[in-house]
Amino acid sequence: MIWVDTLVQGILLGGLYALFAAGLSLVFGIMRLVNLAHGDLIILGAYLILVIVSVLGLNPFLAALVALPLMFCFGWVLQRVVLNRVLGEDILPPLLVTFGLSVVIQNALQEGFTSDSQRLRPGPVESASLDLGIVTVGVMPLLTFASAILVIVGLNQLFYRTALGRAFRATSDDPVTAQLMGIRPDNLFAVATGIAMVVVTIAAMYLGVRANFDPTIGPARLIYAFEAVIIGGLGSLWGTLAGGVIIGVAQTMGAAINPEWQILAGHVAFLVVLLIRPRGLFPRAQD
Amino acid sequence: MALLETRGLTAHYGDFQALFGVDITLEAGETIAIIGSNGAGKTTLMRAIAGLLRSAPGMVHFDGQEIGARSAADIMGLGIAMVPEGRRLFPSLSVEENLMIGAYGRKVPGPWHLDSVYDLFPILKERRHSPGTALSGGQQQMVAVGRALMSNPKVLLCDELSLGLAPVVIRDIYAAMPRILEGGASVVIVEQDIGQALKVASRVYCVMEGRVTLTGRPADLSRDAIHNAYFGAAA
């Protein structure tokens, strides 16, 4: 029975990792930009929610709602002012710039908030749980997983059911011909990063509610996100969810055997998938 | 005033100059053809008009506006559409999505919409859910033409419609030209297939080494004159 419980907790944890990864997957899928600051942007989002909670006295859920449009605008400006300038054939400049951005965000947060751990407190729901018979699951992990599914369904709908989604896919295929359709790739990339920051904010809220955070933990979140994206296959959002779940399950299973193995087991699972399926579980045909 | 006009258009790829003072005009309702051998500068001319290759201000005029220094997206928004060389359909998009993206962000009133494009090329309706790149070359060219029409352009730039296609397929695609003109578009075609170009165009420009070497109505041009303009007098 304990293994069923471990499995379920792992799957639910996978939802959080999928949320970490979805924004990264989105940005990479559209503009082939590997954002090394993604983890730090999640932490930035968490601090933004923390500030809104303390200034406006809101519950973290409501504070996240306030943070969503702010982070969208931040992503839009970041892409327009910084990242668009370094996109091109060479992948090195974006890597360097986002690495620099990661350092800047970490230091700015340490400067502004010190390196003390922080936490978002949503109230009684934090410790609420549901008895499902075989297992008991926390309401927050359940909400996290449900949010991950909603985010992925939402992004898929956006991608495959709207004119904006068609423009995203067309620009990802061929940015030059996309301009002949009247698409302005610079604008479109800014919107994409804005949407990625919305997903980042949702991830940030669940991260902050689940565990303590401080300005230095971004890079580790980036690694989980990367692993989830690669396991799933570049460009596949459902694959990203599967990747998150695989890491989550591996971590909880590893922890059940020996608590020290939690993080290691996630990375080992990643390496095993990479050995068996180097292009991930659900790779896009043309990549 | 001409609908589309280039005045002393020059274009460069880095240090390499591909066009040297090209003057062409397109009147409303007209079809002109740009002919020339491979590497003559035809595609460069198209790319410069479409804004994919920026030119200096004052070199390209469309519908009373100066467009030479504008971005491709801006120029397309003004009412020019292009069928690029090699079709360049979007592989991630179905046939129907490829068509729909031709009108992205614009609702220009006019005769062209999904139904009328399907009416022009009925095979596309049957294949509308297939990935664009799963179609035969000729069908892909139909999608590329339909995609350009979806924005109800005033000027349609067609770059090498016949490239890599069987003669019977080329004939089918060119058979659509009269309806495209009836729909209100004026057309610039770039062709290596001189016979096809002379059939549909009211005026022809022959380009060689980045310069216009001959211009006139098809009926007024002798075979020898075209041959000389196409390959150079020494050929």
Side-chain angles (χ1 to χ4, degrees), chain B residues 41-220:
Chain B
K42 309 183 299 295
T43 292
T44 304
L45 174 59
M46 286 286 162
R47 291 171 62 87
I49 294 171
L52 290 176
L53 208 58
R54 299 279 176 101
S55 53
M59 287 183 175
V60 187
H61 295 259
F62 168 66
D63 213 5
Q65 297 184 62
E66 197 293 305
I67 61 168
R70 296 210 190 180
S71 72
D74 272 352
I75 291 171
M76 300 301 126
L78 292 173
I80 295 182
M82 181 164 167
V83 183
E85 184 181 359
R87 278 88 72 174
R88 306 199 73 93
L89 301 188
F90 299 108
S92 308
L93 273 56
S94 68
V95 167
E96 186 153 295
E97 288 178 323
N98 264 291
L99 292 174
M100 285 160 79
I101 202 152
Y104 177 75
R106 288 164 286 174
K107 270 224 154 22
V108 184
W112 298 110
H113 42 78
L114 268 183
D115 289 339
S116 55
V117 170
Y118 285 147
D119 192 42
L120 187 66
F121 300 120
I123 183 71
L124 300 187
K125 189 166 188 180
E126 287 171 32
R127 306 291 310 268
R128 65 184 184 276
H129 297 305
S130 308
T133 42
L135 272 55
S136 70
Q139 292 167 356
Q140 286 192 32
Q141 192 62 276
M142 292 172 189
V143 178
V145 172
R147 182 178 68 178
L149 290 175
M150 285 289 287
S151 63
N152 284 300
K154 293 177 191 160
V155 170
L156 181 67
L157 308 173
C158 300
D159 195 356
E160 304 271 15
L161 283 182
S162 64
L163 194 72
L165 301 180
V168 60
V169 179
I170 298 172
R171 201 187 55 207
D172 283 353
I173 289 172
Y174 271 98
M177 271 308 159
R179 280 185 61 187
I180 293 173
L181 287 166
E182 276 168 31
S186 310
V187 182
V188 181
I189 59 167
V190 154
E191 266 301 349
Q192 286 189 50
D193 182 340
I194 302 176
Q196 196 58 255
L198 296 180
K199 254 188 254 170
V200 295
S202 53
R203 281 183 306 119
V204 176
Y205 291 85
C206 191
V207 180
M208 190 175 65
E209 292 174 354
R211 294 177 174 85
V212 173
T213 48
L214 181 73
T215 174
R217 297 183 176 282
D220 302 338

Side-chain angles (χ1 to χ4, degrees), chain A residues 159-161 163-185 188 284 286, chain B residues 47 50-52 71-74 76-77 81-82 84 87-88 90-94 97-98 100-104 106 147:
Chain A
F159 259 58
Y160 295 101
R161 296 273 181 272
L164 181 65
R166 281 194 292 277
F168 280 148
R169 285 182 287 142
T171 310
S172 166
D173 282 346
D174 182 348
V176 174
T177 307
Q179 293 176 53
L180 292 178
M181 308 297 119
I183 294 168
R184 293 174 175 78
L188 202 74
R284 270 206 315 202
Q286 80 228 36
Chain B
R47 291 171 62 87
L52 290 176
S71 72
D74 272 352
M76 300 301 126
M82 181 164 167
R87 278 88 72 174
R88 306 199 73 93
F90 299 108
S92 308
L93 273 56
S94 68
E97 288 178 323
N98 264 291
M100 285 160 79
I101 202 152
Y104 177 75
R106 288 164 286 174
R147 182 178 68 178

Side-chain angles (χ1 to χ4, degrees), chain A residues 42-261:
Chain A
I42 296 172
I43 307 306
L44 179 71
Y47 275 99
L48 177 63
I49 296 170
L50 186 72
V51 168
I52 296 170
V53 166
S54 36
V55 171
L56 301 180
L58 294 174
N59 178 289
F61 288 99
L62 290 174
L65 281 180
V66 178
L68 287 178
L70 297 175
M71 286 294 279
F72 177 92
C73 295
F74 174 72
W76 196 91
V77 171
L78 177 68
Q79 185 69 40
R80 282 303 303 222
V81 177
V82 181
L83 300 179
N84 274 342
R85 293 169 194 266
V86 289
L87 284 179
E89 291 295 309
D90 189 355
I91 62 160
L92 199 57
L95 279 178
L96 285 173
V97 164
T98 55
F99 179 70
L101 182 65
S102 156
V103 175
V104 168
I105 293 173
Q106 281 182 47
N107 282 282
L109 288 177
Q110 283 194 336
E111 195 66 34
F113 297 92
T114 76
S115 43
D116 293 347
S117 291
Q118 304 286 349
R119 186 90 188 250
L120 298 173
R121 301 277 178 202
V125 70
E126 192 179 359
S127 53
S129 61
L130 280 177
D131 188 354
L132 300 179
I134 320 168
V135 288
T136 302
V137 294
V139 170
M140 279 313 297
L142 212 53
L143 277 176
T144 310
F145 192 78
S147 301
I149 290 187
L150 275 178
V151 161
I152 285 168
V153 168
L155 289 177
N156 267 312
Q157 290 289 318
L158 175 75
F159 259 58
Y160 295 101
R161 296 273 181 272
T162 68
L164 181 65
R166 281 194 292 277
F168 280 148
R169 285 182 287 142
T171 310
S172 166
D173 282 346
D174 182 348
V176 174
T177 307
Q179 293 176 53
L180 292 178
M181 308 297 119
I183 294 168
R184 293 174 175 78
D186 278 7
N187 260 335
L188 202 74
F189 290 161
V191 172
T193 302
I195 294 169
M197 287 306 108
V198 166
V199 179
V200 155
T201 311
I202 298 168
M205 191 208 53
Y206 286 113
L207 169 88
V209 169
R210 180 186 171 84
N212 289 342
F213 58 91
D214 66 64
T216 63
I217 67 164
R221 305 318 106 176
L222 172 72
I223 302 272
Y224 297 152
F226 256 135
E227 290 180 346
V229 172
I230 307 255
I231 288 176
L234 293 171
S236 161
L237 286 164
W238 286 112
T240 298
L241 179 67
V245 166
I246 286 172
I247 296 173
V249 169
Q251 284 192 357
T252 52
M253 291 283 184
I257 297 166
N258 181 339
E260 287 181 3
W261 291 0

